[in-house]
Amino acid sequence: MSQHRRRRAPARKLQHRYALAGGAFALTVGLGVGLGLWASGGDETPAGSARTASQASSPPSAPDAGGTSPSPSRSYPLSQAPRTIPAVRSHTAARGPGWRPAHGERVVVSDASLADEGKLIAGELGLSYAGEKNDVRSGDVRLALSGGEGGNPESYTMTVRGGRVTISAPADAGVFYGTRTLKQEVHGGGTAPEGVVNDAPAKPRRGFMLDIARKPYTVGWIEDRVRELGDLKYNELGLHFSDDQAFRIQSDTHPEIVSANHLTKAQVKQIVDLATSRHITIVPEIDSPGHLGAVIAAHPDLQLRNASGVPTRGAIDISKDESAQIVDDLLDEFAGVFPGGYWHLGGDEYQALTVRDPAASYPQLAAAARKAYGPGGTVADLATGWLNDRAATVRNHDRTPRAWNDGFFRNTSVQPAKDIEVAYWTGKEIGARPPAEYLAAGRKVINYNDEFLYYVLGQPQTFVYPTGQRIYELWTPRVLRGTQAVPARYDAQILGGIFAVWGDRPNAQTQDQVAAGIRMPLRATVQKLWDPGKPELSWTDFKALAGRLG
C-alpha cells in the first residue's frame, strides 16, 4: 500500500440539568472548553467560554449517580473542564474540592462484568479494588452500567461530587473510556475537577495500523502501543503481517511461507488478550492478490507471469484455483487467531492492472475472465470477483470485509460486494477516483489519507513523516484525499480514520524512533476523530498538555 505509496448506535439523548440553589450552581462547559487551573482553592474564575445547558450543543448529561451534593461553599472557585487527550466534549462545572486518590480508598463496581476495568484503574491510581459493593464510602470510585437501550456504548458520564467519583455508561467500553479520563486527570493535575463530564466519540473507528511484514517489532513494543492506544481511546489496531518481504505470524496450514523472524500464535494471543482488555479490536490484513511475495516464494508455480513468461513481482495468478485455495486456507486459519469483527483484504496494487493493456499482457487472466463472466469479461472483472470471493470467505466467519480503494475498479460488469468497506488511502492510482464517488455510491469509508496519516519509513518517493501539528490544524475525518474535505452530507458514511506506519525502508528508524515519531501524530489524530471540530487548545498548548500527561 505504501510501495506506490502506501457498532455503534447513536448516543442516547439525556436531559441536562442546570441547578442554581443556595449559592451552588453549575455551568456547562462545552466541547473541551475551560482553560486554566483546575479547582483546588483560590479565587480563580473559569477561563474560556461557558454556556448554559440551553445553549450547549455538546453531548447531554445523564442524571447524577454520584450521591448528594456537599453543602454549598464559596471557598471553592468554579471548577475547570478536565484537561485530557482527546478533550472531553462536555463538562458541567461546579464548586467543590474535586477528587484525588488517597491510600485506602476503593474502586467498586455495580456490576461484576466491570471487574477488569475496576482492577485496572485501581492499580493505576494506587487504590484497592473492592469488587461489587452497594455501600457508599468517602473517596470511592464507582463504576456502573447505566442500563437502558439505544445508548452509544462508547459514551460515558463521570460525576465528581461529595468526595466521590462515579463513572457510568451503557456498556463496559464507555466505562473504560471514563476511567481513561480519570487517569489522565489525576496524572496531569493531581485532582479530578468537581462536576459532571458527558463524553462520546464522534467517530466509531479510531485506529492505528502497523506494518509488521516489512519491519518486525517486538511483542513488548507492540504491547506498549496497545496500552498507549487504550489510554488515548483508540479502539482498533491493524496488523499488516503479510507482504512481498515476509509473512510474520506462525501458520499451521502453510508453515512453508512463514519468515524466520515471526510472531508465534501464543505471542499473538498475548497481544490480542491485552488489546481486548483495552477495548481494542485487532484487524488483520493478508493482502491479495498483490503483495503476496512471501507466499509466492514458497509456491513459485502460483506467481503471475506475463505473455512473455516474465514473473510479475508480488502478484499471484488469479486464474489458477490453487491461488484462491492457499489464500482461503490462510483466511480461515487466521480467523481463529483474530476474533474481532473486521478483516482487511487488501486488494491494492495488483500489477496486472497497472499495464496499458492487461488482456494482451496477461492472456491467461483475460481467458479466465471470459470463462467466468462471458465474452465481455475483463481482467478487472476477474480481480473484482477475486475480492468478492475472499470477502465471502471472511464473511463466513462473521467478519466485515475491508479493502483499499484502489482495489475497487471503474466500469466493471462485476461490482464489489456492498458490505466491503473502503479503506481510502490515495488518489494516485491509475484511474483514480475521488472519494466522493465511493460515498455517492453509498459505500462506507474509513480515512487512511496518505497526505496526513501515512508514516512511511525512510520517506520514499514523495512521502514525508507526518506531523501532529499538521493533523491537528488541517485534517478532519472528511479530508479523505489531499487537503480537501468531502461535502458534509457524507459525514455519516465516514466511519473514522486510521494512522498507519509502513515499513518500506525498515532500517530507516529503530522501533524506539518510530514510537517517538508517531507520539504526537497519534494524539492529534485521535483528538480529531473524537471531536472533528476546531480544537479549543492551540497546538502549543496541546503539545504541552501531552507532555504533562505522559
Side-chain angles (χ1 to χ4, degrees):
M1 207 73 20
S2 56
Q3 292 203 343
H4 205 40
R5 58 179 164 194
R6 43 205 153 46
R7 9 203 204 262
R8 308 186 188 280
R12 181 175 48 182
K13 293 186 177 180
L14 303 169
Q15 280 302 101
H16 262 304
R17 295 192 300 173
Y18 175 72
L20 177 60
F25 60 97
L27 294 175
T28 299
V29 182
L31 301 175
V33 176
L35 313 182
L37 301 173
W38 288 346
S40 59
D43 298 319
E44 295 88 347
T45 57
S49 60
R51 294 177 290 169
T52 65
S54 62
Q55 295 170 313
S57 59
S58 50
S61 64
D64 172 37
T68 58
S69 300
S71 299
S73 171
R74 292 290 185 180
S75 62
Y76 298 106
L78 196 64
S79 63
Q80 304 294 308
R83 290 293 198 88
T84 61
I85 296 174
V88 301
R89 303 189 71 193
S90 173
H91 176 248
T92 302
R95 296 187 185 276
W99 177 91
R100 67 172 60 233
H103 180 72
E105 290 179 345
R106 312 180 303 173
V107 174
V108 298
V109 298
S110 298
D111 191 292
S113 67
L114 298 175
D116 289 345
E117 290 75 18
K119 291 174 183 177
L120 178 62
I121 190 64
E124 290 169 331
L125 298 185
L127 307 175
S128 63
Y129 176 69
E132 197 172 359
K133 301 289 185 183
N134 292 322
D135 63 316
V136 175
R137 293 186 188 175
S138 177
D140 275 356
V141 174
R142 177 171 293 278
L143 310 183
L145 296 176
S146 54
E149 298 295 329
N152 181 344
E154 294 192 311
S155 66
Y156 67 92
T157 297
M158 183 171 71
T159 303
V160 179
R161 183 174 296 166
R164 295 185 296 277
V165 178
T166 298
I167 298 171
S168 62
D172 53 356
V175 171
F176 174 73
Y177 295 139
T179 67
R180 300 307 86 195
T181 294
L182 181 63
K183 177 185 176 182
Q184 286 195 28
E185 289 176 335
V186 171
H187 285 191
T191 301
E194 200 86 2
V196 180
V197 167
N198 283 279
D199 206 8
K203 292 298 179 183
R205 309 278 185 86
R206 306 175 301 281
F208 170 61
M209 196 230 72
L210 183 65
D211 173 8
I212 65 172
R214 282 175 279 188
K215 181 179 179 65
Y217 294 81
T218 65
V219 172
W221 190 93
I222 297 172
E223 289 182 327
D224 283 346
R225 300 292 72 71
V226 169
R227 296 184 185 96
E228 180 180 18
L229 295 172
D231 282 353
L232 292 170
K233 304 186 177 86
Y234 279 92
N235 63 5
E236 188 174 299
L237 169 62
L239 287 182
H240 177 91
F241 63 92
S242 170
D243 212 304
D244 293 339
Q245 294 78 0
F247 192 100
R248 294 286 185 192
I249 298 179
Q250 170 192 346
S251 170
D252 299 319
T253 60
H254 290 282
E256 72 279 3
I257 71 173
V258 179
S259 303
N261 187 349
H262 67 272
L263 299 175
T264 67
K265 286 186 177 178
Q267 290 173 320
V268 172
K269 184 179 186 304
Q270 183 178 323
I271 295 167
V272 169
D273 288 347
L274 178 64
T276 301
S277 74
R278 264 59 174 184
H279 296 271
I280 294 170
T281 298
I282 295 187
V283 180
E285 181 190 358
I286 298 176
D287 201 346
S288 81
H291 294 281
L292 280 174
V295 173
I296 293 168
H299 296 272
D301 55 311
L302 299 181
Q303 185 160 25
L304 180 66
R305 294 176 180 271
N306 68 14
S308 301
V310 177
T312 303
R313 184 175 184 269
I316 204 165
D317 189 336
I318 60 176
S319 71
K320 296 182 176 182
D321 292 340
E322 297 86 354
S323 296
Q325 185 61 57
I326 193 171
V327 173
D328 283 348
D329 286 347
L330 295 168
L331 295 176
D332 287 335
E333 176 182 3
F334 283 95
V337 176
F338 297 100
Y342 309 109
W343 195 285
H344 203 317
L345 296 169
D348 65 303
E349 297 178 335
Y350 189 49
Q351 297 302 306
L353 290 165
T354 63
V355 298
R356 184 181 62 82
D357 188 346
S361 295
Y362 300 97
Q364 75 275 36
L365 299 185
R370 290 192 297 271
K371 180 179 178 181
Y373 304 113
T378 66
V379 176
D381 286 326
L382 193 68
T384 303
W386 170 279
L387 180 66
N388 285 342
D389 289 345
R390 307 295 76 75
T393 299
V394 300
R395 201 180 292 116
N396 287 337
H397 297 282
D398 298 319
R399 305 299 197 269
T400 298
R402 183 183 308 177
W404 300 109
N405 63 285
D406 51 334
F408 295 77
F409 307 108
R410 260 183 176 156
N411 304 320
T412 54
S413 61
V414 180
Q415 294 299 307
K418 291 296 185 184
D419 67 333
I420 303 176
E421 298 172 345
V422 179
Y424 197 97
W425 71 279
T426 191
K428 302 181 180 75
E429 76 275 15
I430 294 174
R433 285 180 286 169
E437 284 196 26
Y438 300 89
L439 295 163
R443 290 200 176 274
K444 294 179 179 178
V445 176
I446 302 171
N447 192 326
Y448 289 76
N449 187 340
D450 63 349
E451 175 80 16
F452 289 92
L453 305 180
Y454 262 35
Y455 193 96
V456 184
L457 296 188
Q459 303 182 107
Q461 299 167 37
T462 60
F463 287 106
V464 295
Y465 293 130
T467 67
Q469 182 173 2
R470 193 160 181 266
I471 296 167
Y472 190 76
E473 295 177 345
L474 299 177
W475 180 81
T476 74
R478 284 172 43 214
V479 180
L480 285 160
R481 171 178 172 177
T483 59
Q484 296 300 309
V486 298
R489 65 180 177 273
Y490 294 127
D491 186 68
Q493 290 172 240
I494 302 170
L495 300 176
I498 312 289
F499 186 89
V501 171
W502 294 103
D504 290 45
R505 295 176 182 168
N507 297 323
Q509 289 190 339
T510 67
Q511 62 179 18
D512 290 339
Q513 287 173 321
V514 174
I518 66 177
R519 184 177 181 277
M520 287 310 299
L522 280 177
R523 283 151 178 78
T525 301
V526 81
Q527 173 60 46
K528 303 303 279 291
L529 290 168
W530 196 266
D531 183 352
K534 180 177 170 56
E536 196 66 32
L537 295 180
S538 68
W539 171 251
T540 299
D541 289 340
F542 183 82
K543 189 174 181 180
L545 174 61
R548 291 198 301 276
L549 296 178

